[in-house]
Amino acid sequence: MRQLFHAEGILNRDFVGQITYTVCLEKPCRAMDIAMTFDRQHFSEEDITPEMEESVLLEIREKYGLSPDPCELRRMMLQDMKTEIHLLAMMNDTFIGCIHRQLTERHMHFENGLATEGCLPVDRFEGVLQVTVLVFNVIMDGTRYTLSVSGEEDQDAAPV
Amino acid sequence: MLRRYELHNHTTHSDASITCRELLEVMREDQVQVVALTDHNTISGHRELRELLPAFPGLQAVFGMEYTTYYGHILCLNLTRYVPWDRIDRNCPEKLFAACRAAGALTGIAHPFSYGAPFARGCRFDMHVRDFRDVDFIEVFNNPEPLREVNIPALEWWEDLTLQGEHLAATGGMDLHGHRDMSMMFATYLEGDAAHDPGEDLARAVRGRRTWVSRGMALLWTPEGDGFRFRLEDLHKPGFRPASLYLLTIRSQAGQITRPLEGDTLYLPLSDLPPGPVRVLRLYRKNTDAENLICVCPPMT
């Protein structure tokens, strides 16, 4: 497969929303792989400051009436709080897949009438591919993500 | 005949640990009659489940998706095509509900009081619905969630909306992501027939608000004389532990009554019922502690 598109970005803490990349395919493709990675999914011990603990405690007390002890709060921040980013793809405005598993590296692979779970098989990619990075939660500034689209182009086809 | 629908289930097509085949095996083992496939933000499992289904005689399926948005989860049942949600506006979610409805789906609010941000953004329903006309149901019991903190507030919300005149059904589901014991968990029951299309029976029940959310016993009623005859119906749900005493609460906007059943029936004259155009009913066993809630019945109109 040949890489058709590559993008990288840096997300700030608390961003919620999506970033959509539109790829106009120069040639039809018989197979496609869409890959996304991101880092800083969870806090490390060093990331957590007393101010952050206080802020989270206030938030969950106000929203949910929760008052965990300091040890439990730390566990919740280390294990339960996470950066959550998903990946959605549309071909010519038609849904072809979404990967919802909590992975920091995920692929949508389409080939020979098969597709990664979460995706619908596509025999031929021709037209406009839209890949959307769905950002549900970013817990740390400077969270990096990458997106790449690779395709096996149909060499016999004339350019679109 | 009341049939058991398990309306909230995930597979490896989203973030569950069970495949479509395993989901069907789990449902068959627990004697479920209709299973819904509601993966997060994808309909990719529909075809696989449909192809596997003939190997599971007696088990039927409805197809849907759980819209997992930044501001809440929306269960869509009888959804045949993906409806984009990425322009979701928390202050005007009616647009998404209407679009799903236009695609032929039943739309419902899933686990509205789950814990969301800062842990799992979107799990709590933070949208501001002003117009419920395109909302068909509220998931009042999401079994993995805490009873008093999450499920009872959802039930009270549905009851309050119902008493205010909103036309919403109640549902319950496993939110299944893996193998799990389903005994004494709430499931959705509705009138239907194995010879019917289960999606059509579901649509009829939800739109008519004829759903029972139950752990294994339902309460039915018929007019009798100048009142109503209530009777228990054992739903034969695996693992259900019957009790020797059942209590019925009936609430309207004007008040609430609690009555013990005499054996498995109870007659109430109309004059005993709290007045109002609509009433909500709960069935308990032993006492009216939330932990002893057995069944949420259709509204009595």
Side-chain angles (χ1 to χ4, degrees), chain B residues 16-75:
Chain B
S17 61
I18 51 172
T19 62
C20 284
R21 178 180 292 280
E22 288 168 329
L23 173 64
L24 294 174
E25 287 169 354
V26 165
M27 293 294 151
R28 177 173 63 186
E29 198 170 310
D30 213 62
Q31 299 168 29
V32 173
Q33 278 134 343
V34 183
V35 56
L37 179 59
T38 56
D39 271 313
H40 297 283
N41 290 345
T42 186
I43 52 173
S44 63
H46 289 195
R47 190 170 85 174
E48 183 183 356
L49 196 88
R50 210 184 291 276
E51 287 172 357
L52 288 166
L53 206 53
F56 294 82
L59 181 58
Q60 296 177 301
V62 294
F63 298 89
M65 188 176 99
E66 183 176 20
Y67 279 93
T68 303
T69 82
Y70 314 126
Y71 310 117
H73 292 193
I74 298 168
L75 269 178

Side-chain angles (χ1 to χ4, degrees), chain A residues 26-148:
Chain A
E26 287 285 308
K27 283 187 173 180
C29 290
R30 284 192 283 253
M32 183 79 72
D33 190 84
I34 303 166
M36 183 193 72
T37 67
F38 66 92
D39 63 7
R40 315 194 81 181
Q41 186 178 33
H42 288 281
F43 289 127
S44 66
E45 289 277 0
E46 303 75 53
D47 294 320
I48 299 175
T49 64
E51 293 74 25
M52 286 163 64
E53 286 181 317
E54 183 63 24
S55 168
V56 169
L57 187 59
L58 278 174
E59 184 178 355
I60 63 176
R61 188 178 290 159
E62 189 177 301
K63 281 184 177 168
Y64 312 121
L66 297 175
S67 295
D69 63 39
C71 198
E72 173 63 4
L73 177 66
R74 202 160 184 86
R75 187 206 63 75
M76 292 164 95
M77 290 182 72
L78 287 168
Q79 292 178 18
D80 299 344
M81 286 181 69
K82 61 184 179 295
T83 287
E84 187 174 353
I85 304 173
H86 300 300
L87 189 61
L88 166 74
M90 309 278 283
M91 190 71 214
N92 300 324
D93 295 326
T94 299
F95 173 84
I96 58 169
C98 182
I99 303 288
H100 190 83
R101 284 180 288 282
Q102 306 289 335
L103 304 167
T104 53
E105 178 176 354
R106 57 189 85 187
H107 287 261
M108 291 179 167
H109 195 85
F110 305 86
E111 193 164 4
N112 294 331
L114 299 173
T116 308
E117 285 180 308
C119 304
L120 301 171
V122 178
D123 292 331
R124 186 178 170 86
F125 291 84
E126 187 169 6
V128 178
L129 172 71
Q130 273 196 329
V131 183
T132 299
V133 179
L134 300 162
V135 184
F136 278 70
N137 205 26
V138 180
I139 61 172
M140 282 178 273
D141 282 327
T143 296
R144 294 176 181 276
Y145 73 93
T146 68
L147 178 73
S148 67

Side-chain angles (χ1 to χ4, degrees), chain B residues 197-212:
Chain B
D197 179 321
E200 287 179 11
D201 279 347
L202 175 66
R204 193 176 309 111
V206 166
R207 293 194 176 123
R209 296 190 297 184
R210 297 282 295 167
T211 56
W212 286 256

